[in-house]
Amino acid sequence: TRIQPVKAMILAAGRGERMGKLTIGTPKPLLQLGTETLIGRHLKRLAEAGVSEVVINLSHQGELIRNHLVSSGRWGLRITYSYEGESSLDTGGGVICALPLLGDDPFLLVSADVLTDIDFSSLTFSTGKGLLVLVPNPPHHSSGDFGLTSDGQLTAAPPRLTYTGIALLDPALFRNFKLERQPLRPIFDSAIGRGLLVGLRYDGLWLDVGTPERLEDARKIIQQRETKSL
């Protein structure tokens, strides 16, 4: 069965410390890529993919994100916020905290700090409890995260690909985990051990915008595209 999610969650609560002075007064999701912010680009593309509701988790400088989105239009989306306090719950804890806002159906999960052209509406799974999008390993993450079998099952075995920060997940995946600060990785590893996750290899545009250097790379890519479309 094809699952067309109507809800998405954007992970936006990290401090962005690797960005140095760039994030002293600006949360990383609000860094500019051409005419758009990182998070604005995701919101626009989620709306284009048919998503109607987006949950955004917030922590340090979260009010700045909320104020920016209130003042810059909403792409026709209903946006709700999951506040975690001044100290974030990390990626796994962040999703668990937001579950009451996400409902019972599978939802899209997107990390705010990636640049991609993937068509969110193309993501689907027919077995198990989730789909993770993977890419060939970038130079800064050469060992990868997860293996992928020929029939699309995720494994812990090499050769590994890199998790993009993009997934389609059933909330049931998180039900046996406590609400506490924790990353997504152990939750995914537990599900992989039970054969509950499938993967999709994506060979299009994807960049982890985690450092000033990679932000510059992302800005160059967007600048080239905006110049071409003029």
Side-chain angles (χ1 to χ4, degrees):
T1 53
R2 182 174 173 76
I3 295 165
Q4 179 63 49
V6 294
K7 288 191 181 182
M9 178 174 182
I10 297 180
L11 293 171
R15 282 182 173 261
E17 286 169 349
R18 288 179 300 164
M19 285 292 185
K21 62 185 181 186
L22 291 173
T23 49
I24 290 172
T26 304
K28 184 160 62 165
L30 296 187
L31 293 173
Q32 288 286 140
L33 290 182
T35 58
E36 297 175 302
T37 60
L38 272 166
I39 198 167
R41 191 171 190 277
H42 286 314
L43 288 167
K44 177 185 166 197
R45 300 188 72 258
L46 286 166
E48 289 169 350
V51 169
S52 58
E53 295 183 42
V54 177
V55 177
I56 301 172
N57 70 329
L58 300 177
S59 178
H60 177 66
Q61 297 187 327
E63 275 303 313
L64 296 177
I65 295 174
R66 182 173 183 146
N67 292 342
H68 172 81
L69 295 179
V70 164
S71 63
S72 63
R74 293 203 174 189
W75 301 272
L77 293 163
R78 178 167 174 256
I79 300 176
T80 53
Y81 300 92
S82 176
Y83 282 100
E84 298 175 12
E86 186 57 24
S87 182
S88 92
L89 292 167
D90 207 335
T91 49
V95 173
I96 293 166
C97 182
L99 286 177
L101 299 171
L102 289 164
D104 297 324
D105 296 324
F107 62 93
L108 277 163
L109 183 67
V110 182
S111 294
D113 58 353
V114 297
L115 170 66
T116 184
D117 268 358
I118 194 164
D119 176 3
F120 293 122
S121 70
S122 69
L123 303 181
T124 181
F125 62 88
S126 54
T127 61
K129 295 292 181 185
L131 167 87
L132 305 194
V133 180
L134 309 176
V135 289
N137 299 330
H140 61 84
H141 194 64
S142 56
S143 57
D145 297 303
F146 305 109
L148 190 60
T149 66
S150 57
D151 62 352
Q153 284 292 125
L154 279 189
T155 73
R160 297 187 184 94
L161 297 164
T162 290
Y163 171 54
T164 57
I166 300 163
L168 178 59
L169 302 171
D170 189 313
L173 271 181
F174 300 89
R175 291 214 175 109
N176 295 325
F177 291 87
K178 287 183 190 163
L179 174 52
E180 60 189 10
R181 180 177 169 82
Q182 59 180 311
L184 275 167
R185 183 63 192 256
I187 297 170
F188 288 162
D189 285 344
S190 166
I192 287 168
R194 291 177 289 150
L196 295 178
L197 291 180
V198 294
L200 170 74
R201 176 179 167 136
Y202 180 65
D203 287 296
L205 172 65
W206 179 84
L207 187 65
D208 167 15
V209 188
T211 64
E213 295 74 25
R214 297 204 292 273
L215 175 64
E216 210 44 54
D217 291 342
R219 284 174 168 167
K220 281 176 187 160
I221 290 166
I222 294 298
Q223 187 179 12
Q224 286 168 354
R225 292 183 170 214
E226 288 181 352
T227 305
K228 272 184 190 168
S229 66
L230 289 176

